[in-house]
Amino acid sequence: MPELFLSPRLRPTPFTPGVEAAAPKAYTVYNRMRLASVFDSLESDCAHLKEHVQVWDVAVQRQVEIAGPDAPRLVQWMTPRDISRVGDGVCAYLPICDDSGGMLNDPVALRLDRELWWLSLADSDMLYYAKGLAIGAGLNVSVREPDVSPLAVQGPKAEELVARVFGDTVRKIGFFHFANCSLDGRNHIVARSGWSKQGGFEIYVDGHENGMPVFSALMEAGRDLHVRVGCPNSIERVESGLLSYGSDITWEHTPYQAGLSAYCHPETVECIGREPLLREAAEGPPRQIRCVSIGGGPAPQLTEFWPVTGSGLSVGRISSVAWSPEFRTNAAIGMIDRSHWEGGTRVEVHAPDGVRAAEIRESFYR
Ligand code: THG
C-alpha cells in the first residue's frame, strides 16, 4: 500500500500520541484528520475486538454544534427524521439531505438541550453547509466546531472498562443514550454507541488537553482486560452492515436507498428535499443498499466501485468488501437495483482480479 505523507493539514487529534505509540500500520483521512485503519492485521484486530476491548481515536467524528433559539428549526430543516421525538440525553442517527433528497451526511445527533445540538459527523463538510443555511435564512443560531473529540471504547468488555474509569452509573446508560460523566473533575459526555456491533461507548472528550489523560486512564485500567489501541475495523463493520458515507452512500442516494427509511418522515416534517423524498416514499426506491457475499478466496482491497451484473445487465455496484474469517466469505456492501435485490439472488461481481459469483444476503448475522 502507498504511504500517507503526514502534515499539520491532516490534523492530529488529542489522542495522536497514544495512537502513534501503538504504531498503526495504515491511516486513512477523514474530515481532514488522521484515522488509523490497521494495527496488527485487519483479521487479528477484528478477532481481538470481538473477544476483548479496544480504545479507538475517533476524533475524526467532528462535532458541528448548533446552539441558540433557532437550533431545533435548523436541525429539522436539515433532516427528514422527525426530531420532535428526540429528547434530551438521546442520540439519534440522522440522514442529512439536500434539495434532491440526496444524502450529504449521516451523523449521530446529540440533543444536549432543546437549544443545543451536536451533529457527530461522517466524512463531509457539514460545518460549512450548516453555517450557510443559518446565514442565508437569517436564523438565530451559532454554528461552530467545538473542542470536543470522541474516543470509542468497543468490544464485549467495554462496559466493565468504562465503569472502572467513569463509575458504575455508565452501566445504566441505554443504547443510543448518553449521560454526563466526570474524570478528575472534568465533565465529558458518555454515550452507549459506536461504529461496531460488539457493544460499547463513546466518550466525547471535552478539551484537547484532556485527551491523553482520558486515553491513558482507559489503557491503564484495562490491562487485565487485554485492552488494546484499535480503530474501526473494516471486516467487523461490513459484517455488521454499518454504512460508510462517501463509499456505500453518497449524495447520489436517498435515505430510502441507504436503507434508512426508519429515520425518514417527510410526510410529517418540513425539511430540505421534502418533495423528492415524498415521491420516492410513494414509488419505492429503484435501488437499495444490500449485504453481498462474494465467492472465491480473499478479494483484493476495493479502491474503486466494482460493477455488479445479473442476467447480463448492470444491476449495481460493490462499495465495501472484506474477507470475513468468521463467515468464510468476502463480506461486502453494495447498492443493488430492485430487480436483483432480493435475498438469495445470484449475481456476478467484476473484481479487478476477475469475475466472481456472488449472492445477495439479508444480513451476515441472520
Ligand atoms: N459515532 C459517532 N459519530 C459518528 C459515527 C459513530 N459519525 C460518523 C459515523 N459514525 C456515522 N454513521 C453511523 C452509522 C451507523 C451508526 C452510527 C453512525 C449506528 N447505527 C445503529 C445500527 O445501524 O444498528 C443504530 C442506529 C439507531 O438505532 O438509531 O450505530 O459511530 N458519535
Side-chain angles (χ1 to χ4, degrees):
M1 236 186 290
E3 277 179 39
L4 187 61
F5 195 86
L6 294 177
S7 71
R9 195 170 52 67
L10 303 186
R11 300 178 284 177
T13 85
F15 318 111
T16 292
V19 172
E20 285 184 345
K25 294 212 171 79
Y27 285 97
T28 186
V29 177
Y30 196 103
N31 287 326
R32 302 188 194 84
M33 262 187 163
R34 302 161 197 188
L35 174 62
S37 307
V38 185
F39 283 89
D40 186 20
S41 70
L42 282 178
E43 289 80 6
S44 77
D45 291 356
C46 181
H48 178 269
L49 170 65
K50 288 175 178 178
E51 190 177 349
H52 300 292
V53 55
Q54 298 182 351
V55 173
W56 297 357
D57 173 0
V58 285
V60 297
Q61 297 168 0
R62 299 314 293 162
Q63 310 303 300
V64 169
E65 182 183 276
I66 301 177
D70 285 334
R73 223 176 114 198
L74 177 55
V75 175
Q76 186 61 85
W77 198 27
M78 293 170 74
T79 181
R81 182 162 181 181
D82 182 355
I83 63 145
S84 71
R85 302 185 211 167
V86 180
D88 290 345
V90 175
C91 310
Y93 186 31
L94 296 187
I96 304 290
C97 295
D98 68 11
D99 54 334
S100 309
M103 288 193 53
L104 297 180
N105 204 292
D106 66 335
V108 174
L110 281 72
R111 185 181 129 139
L112 300 145
D113 177 84
R114 201 192 86 88
E115 296 187 1
L116 181 60
W117 292 69
W118 286 348
L119 304 182
S120 184
L121 299 185
D123 188 17
S124 77
D125 293 320
M126 279 298 102
L127 182 69
Y128 306 147
Y129 182 65
K131 264 184 189 287
L133 293 176
I135 295 166
L139 299 179
N140 187 3
V141 286
S142 94
V143 177
R144 60 168 200 137
E145 181 177 298
D147 180 11
V148 168
S149 296
L151 185 64
V153 184
Q154 302 284 300
K157 302 176 186 170
E159 182 177 300
E160 174 60 23
L161 177 53
V162 176
R164 286 183 190 181
V165 174
F166 288 94
D168 279 325
T169 55
V170 302
R171 297 186 191 275
K172 295 191 210 101
I173 299 173
F175 182 65
F176 259 54
H177 283 65
F178 65 83
N180 241 298
C181 296
S182 73
L183 179 67
D184 301 329
R186 291 294 303 225
N187 275 326
H188 310 286
I189 300 277
V190 176
R192 196 186 287 266
S193 57
W195 213 52
S196 88
K197 289 264 170 114
Q198 304 308 311
F201 292 81
E202 290 180 298
I203 300 147
Y204 290 76
V205 175
D206 184 18
H208 201 284
E209 71 285 3
N210 296 310
M212 280 314 294
V214 174
F215 188 99
S216 302
L218 288 162
M219 295 306 293
E220 273 301 309
R223 275 176 203 266
D224 61 311
L225 302 175
H226 304 284
V227 65
R228 275 196 207 163
V229 179
C231 56
N233 182 274
S234 67
I235 301 172
E236 196 278 343
R237 80 93 184 164
V238 173
E239 290 173 348
S240 299
L242 292 168
L243 304 180
S244 178
Y245 184 80
S247 289
D248 306 319
I249 45 174
T250 71
W251 52 268
E252 295 175 290
H253 306 111
T254 66
Y256 297 105
Q257 296 173 24
L260 303 179
S261 62
Y263 312 113
C264 213
H265 318 107
E267 303 81 8
T268 52
V269 302
E270 265 315 317
C271 64
I272 292 169
R274 183 167 188 239
E275 293 307 322
L277 289 170
L278 281 171
R279 239 176 289 132
E280 187 150 297
E283 291 165 10
R287 56 188 178 184
Q288 202 167 55
I289 209 82
R290 281 293 179 274
C291 293
V292 182
S293 165
I294 304 177
Q301 174 103 350
L302 183 151
T303 56
E304 291 178 73
F305 300 118
W306 296 352
V308 179
T309 55
S311 332
L313 299 169
S314 167
V315 297
R317 69 188 194 191
I318 299 295
S319 47
S320 298
V321 62
W323 171 258
S324 164
E326 182 174 344
F327 297 102
R328 311 271 331 145
T329 185
N330 291 292
I333 295 175
M335 191 60 74
I336 307 294
D337 290 353
R338 192 187 332 213
S339 60
H340 286 71
W341 74 24
E342 205 176 307
T345 306
R346 295 187 184 275
V347 293
E348 299 89 45
V349 169
H350 298 254
D353 61 350
V355 180
R356 290 167 181 249
E359 188 185 322
I360 309 300
R361 297 272 294 258
E362 297 293 337
S363 132
F364 289 106
Y365 279 104
R366 257 175 275 142

